[in-house]
Amino acid sequence: MIDFHCHLDLYPNALDLLPQVARQNVFTLVVSTSPRAWLATSRVFAGYPNIKVALGLHPEIAVVKASEQDLLVSLVGQAEFIGEIGLDGSPRFKQSMALQRRILDAVLAECERVGGRTMSLHSRGAVDQVLDALEAQPKAGTPVLHWFSGTKKQLRRAVDQGAWFSVGPSMVASEKGRQLVAEMPATKVLLETDGPFATKADGTPWFPWETDRVTQTMCDLWGTSLDHVRAQLLSNFKAITPTLSISG
Ligand SMILES: [Zn+2]
């Protein structure tokens, strides 16, 4: 399995899970919520070549972490992956949108300056604003829109701008999510869990190796076999990480 967006550091028993995730998954991208968290988690998670920690500043905590913006920008050059970054325009967070946008623009500009990065982006309630920001920094790298929840029109705009998508079991649990996945180009889709934030119906978190439900749903939506979907997802992963070495 591949999990291209999870918060492994935030599970209560993260250190116990670490060896199991490394063993069961081909690759896991652990997104961080602040640059200080990235520094700490990168140290603790070192030694697992198929688990990478992405540098981020989650838009939901932009207000409390605003003082870490300079640190975030200064670390971009050393980070292989960027995330979780983005914008949140939902009622709870939209009052900090100007600050969120300033942080996002600063990160994208630095990504562009260092030659581009693969970035895992949050865009809840703010798809057009995230796409505007990406359009303004076209060489920032490859955007992966995680748990995309916009309209079909916004999906087409994202595809036209070269965006990728990471899709998890909670997303395909809803009819709207399944309709969006059906419209995504199969060559631009990756798997994610967004655990421990994303949970099963009983409230327990998805674990990074539990993305089988998504592959099964993709078979139905795309009208192809399970083997074909798995091969496609693996080839997508290789295409987006051409320089990644996870052997050893
Ligand atoms: Zn997340």
Side-chain angles (χ1 to χ4, degrees):
M1 285 297 151
I2 290 162
D3 186 347
F4 214 76
H5 182 115
C6 72
H7 299 267
L8 187 55
D9 55 328
L10 299 181
Y11 289 80
N13 54 340
L15 289 178
D16 298 334
L17 290 174
L18 200 51
Q20 190 179 357
V21 171
R23 201 168 51 242
Q24 291 199 212
N25 273 16
V26 172
F27 178 77
T28 303
L29 187 65
V30 179
V31 291
S32 62
T33 54
S34 80
R36 284 193 194 286
W38 180 74
L39 287 168
T41 307
S42 300
R43 262 194 304 274
V44 177
F45 286 17
Y48 294 94
N50 64 347
I51 299 177
K52 296 285 182 194
V53 185
L55 168 69
L57 199 162
H58 200 295
E60 287 179 9
I61 54 169
V63 174
V64 278
K65 300 290 178 181
S67 63
E68 294 187 33
Q69 180 184 321
D70 290 347
L71 178 64
L72 174 70
V73 169
S74 74
L75 294 171
V76 166
Q78 326 169 20
E80 213 173 335
F81 294 92
I82 303 297
E84 176 163 3
I85 57 168
L87 302 173
D88 193 307
S90 62
R92 248 178 97 199
F93 302 106
K94 69 172 179 215
Q95 67 280 6
S96 67
M97 185 60 87
L99 172 66
Q100 294 179 36
R101 180 66 191 264
R102 198 173 73 223
I103 295 168
L104 178 61
D105 286 345
V107 163
L108 294 177
E110 183 64 5
C111 286
E112 180 161 324
R113 201 186 67 78
V114 300
R117 289 288 184 272
T118 298
M119 308 168 287
S120 187
L121 287 138
H122 177 109
S123 60
R124 182 173 54 206
V127 173
D128 282 318
Q129 293 93 323
V130 167
L131 293 176
D132 290 345
L134 290 167
E135 204 167 52
Q137 311 276 358
K139 296 198 176 88
T142 309
V144 182
L145 301 179
H146 111 85
W147 199 336
F148 182 87
S149 58
T151 63
K152 287 187 180 177
K153 188 171 170 224
Q154 288 170 326
L155 178 70
R156 282 192 292 276
R157 182 183 169 200
V159 171
D160 288 344
Q161 283 185 222
W164 289 60
F165 304 91
S166 55
V167 173
S170 293
M171 178 174 173
V172 299
S174 81
E175 180 54 31
K176 185 192 172 193
R178 286 193 295 275
Q179 283 184 17
L180 288 166
V181 174
E183 305 274 321
M184 289 173 182
T187 54
K188 293 294 179 74
V189 175
L190 302 162
L191 297 176
E192 69 164 46
T193 58
D194 203 21
F197 295 134
T199 60
K200 298 163 203 169
D202 67 2
T204 58
W206 292 105
F207 290 101
W209 54 84
E210 291 181 313
T211 42
D212 246 351
R213 172 182 301 203
V214 188
T215 21
Q216 190 56 59
T217 304
M218 284 168 180
C219 288
D220 304 339
L221 292 173
W222 296 341
T224 52
S225 70
L226 199 55
D227 282 351
H228 186 265
V229 172
R230 287 198 174 126
Q232 179 70 61
L233 291 168
L234 189 61
S235 110
N236 294 350
F237 164 68
K238 287 180 177 161
I240 203 169
T241 57
T243 58
L244 188 71
S245 167
I246 51 172
S247 55

